[in-house]
Amino acid sequence: MAQPKAVRAAATAAAVVPDIAAQLDLASACINGAGSMMAAPAAVGRPPLVVIGHRGKGMNSLASPDERLREVKENSVRSFNDAARVAGVGYVEFDVQVTKDGCPIVFHDNFIFTEQDGKISEKRITDLPLDEFVSYGPQKDRDKLGRPLLRKLKDGRILRWDVRSDDPLCTLREAFEDVDRRVGFNVELKFDDDLVYQEEELAGVLQAILKVLFEHAKDRPVIFSSFQPDAALLMRKLQDQYPVYFLTVGGTQLHADARRNSLEEAVWLCRAGGLQGIVSEARAVFRHPSAVARVKEADLSLLTYGQLNNVPEAVYMQHLMGVDGVIVDLVQEIAEAVSGFAGVVAPEPSPEEGQAGRLGLDTAALAKKTPNFSQREISFLLRLIPELVQ
């Protein structure tokens, strides 16, 4: 497909196409031991694990007893800046959709809910004009009262979107202008799994997003990602300035589109379309650890997401397996844990040194630097093992 003139001109105007490894500070060195539960990490010089804040400083789980998941409004400028202030956070991840009148906005859900005169109503985000979208929730003008903002949970309940530190809904441009420039952006190209998109429609959405980036991203590191295979491939065709990653559940759920159903399919898609990396559900990596080696052999970066990434032990295991970065909700806690991972990798020892030696670990350093995890976290991870190995 030929590039649209505006996009082609903007891409050509870029002085240098950034190298993916430089942009992410992630290594794509191959790892050994593909059949092991924990493949051996690269020995000396492996970059630290990249910590990426999920929807900023964490997604909002309105029904969770964990108050940390209601600390600050997800996908807001405040949440992004809160995450940026945490030492060790390299990127924030957020979802971008495009309004009916062509403005890229930051919002995760496909539908927005409100209440008026005791009645709850819903509207599809992409059917809203910008002025209506920003009218929900708290307003920039504190003298104005926004429409009530509610959220539908997976179990069907609809709750008021109450958080401890609220913030107005924002556009993609506002994110680029108002968020600390030291933090990179992982821009998820958000599409509805229940809809079928034609290439022309996808192209219109992606071009609107690219226009904002070319005008406002400046030198901020940015990567794109999407669960929508055709959107990811098309974004790669439209530009070569920013890396594009394919998001996948890795077989933890089944989709009609086979390209979304395994890490093997994800590797094939990335190689065929020239994508630079994969973002996988963490459970898929634990269920199929040998796939990590195949990702690395394809010269792709590997990030993960999911609830397991809020458990320091699970994050540490992924670090040993060769995962390059983790998208997390408990940003402060995981960033602190990851800071203790450095320095535990030693040169490959002799076979006589036993299992710890075969994993390439300096056990003395490991004892000193591995974070001290709570019994609750250890129990949580152990309870998940039977599911992970199914």
Side-chain angles (χ1 to χ4, degrees):
M1 171 181 168
Q3 292 182 4
K5 291 183 179 179
V7 173
R8 186 166 60 246
T12 304
V16 180
V17 176
D19 179 78
I20 174 60
Q23 270 233 350
L24 283 174
D25 289 328
L26 302 179
S28 57
C30 294
I31 56 174
N32 300 313
S36 169
M37 177 62 182
M38 294 189 291
V44 179
R46 174 173 172 76
L49 193 68
V50 176
V51 177
I52 303 166
H54 186 209
R55 306 182 200 173
K57 201 164 183 244
M59 65 175 285
N60 294 150
S61 182
L62 302 182
S64 172
D66 191 337
E67 293 185 358
R68 293 173 296 181
L69 300 180
R70 295 187 301 280
E71 178 182 340
V72 60
K73 173 70 72 60
E74 68 175 42
N75 279 338
S76 67
V77 168
R78 177 171 295 178
S79 185
F80 301 149
N81 279 322
D82 283 357
R85 283 190 283 269
V86 176
V89 173
Y91 284 72
V92 290
E93 179 271 352
F94 54 83
D95 313 272
V96 173
Q97 305 183 58
V98 174
T99 61
K100 186 177 182 179
D101 48 354
C103 181
I105 52 89
V106 181
F107 198 77
H108 173 270
D109 300 357
N110 295 318
F111 294 89
I112 199 164
F113 290 79
T114 192
E115 184 176 12
Q116 185 174 4
D117 299 327
K119 295 183 179 179
I120 295 176
S121 61
E122 66 177 302
K123 290 187 178 180
R124 182 178 289 278
I125 289 293
T126 53
D127 288 341
L128 300 177
L130 176 62
D131 60 352
E132 182 176 353
F133 171 73
V134 296
S135 72
Y136 294 94
Q139 300 295 292
K140 286 188 173 181
D141 183 347
R142 299 303 179 183
D143 293 331
K144 290 185 178 180
L145 184 63
R147 306 184 194 196
L149 181 60
L150 287 69
R151 188 175 212 177
K152 188 173 185 177
L153 309 186
K154 290 183 178 180
D155 62 10
R157 286 181 294 164
I158 299 176
L159 303 179
R160 296 190 71 87
W161 202 324
D162 292 330
V163 294
R164 187 183 313 157
S165 181
D166 215 339
D167 206 40
L169 301 178
C170 72
T171 66
L172 180 61
R173 175 176 177 173
E174 288 170 335
F176 276 107
E177 291 179 341
D178 299 336
V179 175
D180 190 325
R181 302 204 64 83
R182 292 174 297 179
V183 69
F185 284 174
N186 173 7
V187 177
E188 180 182 339
L189 309 168
K190 184 76 175 181
F191 296 93
D192 191 334
D193 286 346
D194 295 327
L195 298 181
V196 176
Y197 297 89
Q198 301 301 317
E199 183 171 302
E200 182 179 359
E201 184 178 5
L202 290 175
V205 170
L206 301 184
Q207 289 169 27
I209 294 171
L210 282 173
K211 184 176 186 296
V212 174
L213 262 75
F214 290 140
E215 293 176 357
H216 301 284
K218 298 181 181 178
D219 59 350
R220 187 191 300 273
V222 176
I223 64 171
F224 289 115
S225 61
S226 185
F227 283 106
Q228 223 289 352
D230 296 321
L233 293 172
L234 184 55
M235 180 57 89
R236 183 69 180 91
K237 290 180 181 178
L238 289 174
Q239 59 82 45
D240 59 5
Q241 183 172 349
Y242 301 106
V244 183
Y245 282 41
F246 180 50
L247 268 160
T248 179
V249 296
T252 58
Q253 301 174 23
L254 291 181
H255 294 273
D257 189 332
R259 296 174 295 179
R260 301 181 61 181
N261 286 338
S262 70
L263 284 169
E264 288 76 12
E265 287 285 348
V267 170
W268 182 90
L269 180 83
C270 290
R271 297 187 71 171
L275 307 187
Q276 288 94 339
I278 293 170
V279 187
S280 172
E281 224 286 359
R283 290 179 298 162
V285 171
F286 282 107
R287 289 178 179 179
H288 308 287
S290 61
V292 176
R294 288 192 284 273
V295 172
K296 297 297 180 173
E297 288 163 2
D299 199 24
L300 300 170
S301 292
L302 178 62
L303 312 178
T304 65
Y305 72 94
Q307 292 185 13
L308 273 179
N309 284 357
N310 295 316
V311 181
E313 298 94 332
V315 172
Y316 183 70
M317 291 168 68
Q318 292 177 71
H319 178 55
L320 298 182
M321 294 167 73
V323 170
D324 298 305
V326 288
I327 300 173
V328 307
D329 293 303
L330 303 184
V331 174
Q332 182 80 44
E333 293 82 348
I334 299 303
E336 289 176 357
V338 167
S339 70
F341 294 174
V344 302
V345 178
E348 190 68 26
S350 64
E352 291 78 16
E353 294 181 58
Q355 179 63 24
R358 287 195 291 275
L359 290 175
L361 302 181
D362 180 339
T363 53
L366 181 62
K368 293 178 181 177
K369 292 185 175 289
T370 302
N372 184 21
F373 303 124
S374 71
Q375 184 61 44
R376 176 178 174 273
E377 290 169 333
I378 294 172
S379 298
F380 173 67
L381 185 61
L382 291 175
R383 286 198 303 271
L384 283 173
I385 288 177
E387 178 189 354
L388 294 175
V389 300
Q390 283 178 1

